[in-house]
Amino acid sequence: MISVSIVTYHTPLAELDTCIASLDSPAVSRIYIVDNARQREVEEWASGKEKIIYIPACNDGYGAGHNIAMRRELPLHDTRYHLVMNSDMQFSPAILTAIKTFMDAHPDAGTLQPHMTGRDGDVQYPARQLPSPADVLIRRFFPSGWFKDMRARYLLTHLDRSVAWDIPSHQGSFMFLRKDALREIGLFDERFFMYAEDIDLTRRIHARYRTPYWPGATVMHYHRAASYHSVRMLMVHIVNLIRYFNKWGWIFDRDRAVVNSSIKPYR
């Protein structure tokens, strides 16, 4: 069975309806709505809905919100997996069973990221190399036509997306996590308020497990990219990337080159 957590912050109820419809699967046992805005309308929306557990939170961050749910889940043994997901996701509920079946057959997989597309079917690249400061700087602040080779290498756009790959950095919009891996590795690092917490967690899991991108399931991600539209969120993004590089290393990240050079098909 699978538990799920969704962190909300002034999230439209229509978006939550769409998101929850994607979780209408017998494989899902519990859905935690961690409301960082403590909105009465979200609490009322959640009230009485089967499988949904509403938790008002204090907005200590994206990872911290999911950690609230995962701390409740880890002592429970009726679920083997926990899905961290954004509210702006949509997919067929049947893919959850497909992913669970894949993970059951691959006990060395600590977390999985499926194939991801945008609203118009455009391919997204949420499974990436571990970033260097240059990767982040170029992607965020330079025109898209500049440094094309570096961008492609970071996003791994050259990989055949019809093949499963063992990739060390997953985006936090959809992370299908093995609970035993979380018990061993730990949860999101709450020093990261938002952004980079997903890179950090996948990287820690990748050190002891494999972390596949799997094209056997496809999800749609609306991907607001808030830091591209809000100065405040841009500053949040920058601060948390600084924290990430302070933790793992800027120029001298001992393991980054080794991990990135060892990306290979997942079999």
Side-chain angles (χ1 to χ4, degrees):
M1 297 290 284
I2 305 161
S3 56
V4 183
S5 57
I6 301 164
V7 173
T8 66
Y9 187 76
H10 298 289
T11 303
L13 297 185
E15 180 172 296
L16 283 173
D17 283 331
T18 300
C19 175
I20 294 301
S22 299
L23 300 172
D24 185 17
S25 165
V28 173
S29 61
R30 288 176 292 277
I31 304 167
Y32 296 90
I33 302 295
V34 183
D35 182 9
N36 275 350
R38 293 174 171 252
Q39 288 184 283
R40 175 59 63 85
E41 55 264 41
V42 175
E43 183 175 10
E44 291 175 349
W45 170 89
S47 177
K49 284 188 169 58
E50 187 181 5
K51 300 183 181 180
I52 292 183
I53 300 168
Y54 175 82
I55 304 175
C58 297
N59 196 21
D60 290 324
Y62 180 81
H66 284 291
N67 283 353
I68 292 171
M70 290 192 286
R71 287 191 184 101
R72 292 195 182 193
E73 273 301 308
L74 289 190
L76 305 178
H77 292 275
D78 62 333
T79 57
R80 185 177 294 179
Y81 305 105
H82 184 82
L83 171 59
V84 163
M85 63 177 283
N86 282 7
S87 59
D88 59 348
M89 306 295 298
Q90 187 175 6
F91 48 87
S92 165
I95 76 158
L96 297 175
T97 301
I99 293 173
K100 177 184 177 298
T101 300
F102 180 88
M103 293 285 282
D104 285 347
H106 297 85
D108 63 346
T111 181
L112 176 147
Q113 190 142 85
H115 184 65
M116 200 172 291
T117 68
R119 187 192 301 266
D120 300 320
D122 51 307
V123 176
Q124 296 181 2
Y125 297 96
R128 305 168 179 175
Q129 284 194 145
L130 294 178
S132 69
D135 291 324
V136 172
L137 183 68
I138 288 168
R139 180 166 166 77
R140 187 60 188 81
F141 294 106
F142 285 82
S144 59
W146 294 25
F147 303 103
K148 287 185 176 180
D149 289 345
M150 284 190 67
R151 290 173 186 270
R153 185 167 60 251
Y154 169 51
L155 297 177
L156 301 172
T157 59
H158 62 286
L159 297 184
D160 180 353
R161 293 284 158 165
S162 67
V163 173
W165 295 87
D166 188 15
I167 297 179
S169 175
H170 293 181
Q171 190 186 76
S173 54
F174 189 108
M175 300 177 76
F176 198 95
L177 297 151
R178 187 180 299 277
K179 287 173 63 176
D180 281 347
L182 294 173
R183 292 184 182 106
E184 179 180 356
I185 304 301
L187 306 179
F188 286 115
D189 186 335
E190 295 184 14
R191 288 175 291 182
F192 303 113
F193 179 81
M194 189 174 181
Y195 304 112
E197 74 287 318
D198 46 3
I199 306 170
D200 173 80
L201 180 59
T202 316
R203 177 176 184 156
R204 286 187 282 123
I205 294 173
H206 187 77
R208 300 196 184 186
Y209 291 81
R210 300 176 76 190
T211 51
Y213 154 83
W214 186 54
T218 297
V219 300
M220 184 167 63
H221 181 208
Y222 292 132
H223 193 46
R224 296 190 193 91
S227 69
Y228 284 79
H229 308 291
S230 162
V231 173
R232 175 179 172 273
M233 294 310 297
L234 171 60
M235 295 309 298
V236 170
H237 200 162
I238 291 170
V239 166
N240 286 280
L241 285 169
I242 289 170
R243 289 173 179 162
Y244 171 83
F245 290 117
N246 283 344
K247 177 176 181 176
W248 290 102
W250 289 76
I251 304 302
F252 301 107
D253 179 344
R254 199 170 43 179
D255 299 323
R256 180 172 60 218
V258 173
V259 170
N260 287 343
S261 66
S262 65
I263 291 171
K264 57 188 176 183
Y266 181 87
R267 295 186 175 89

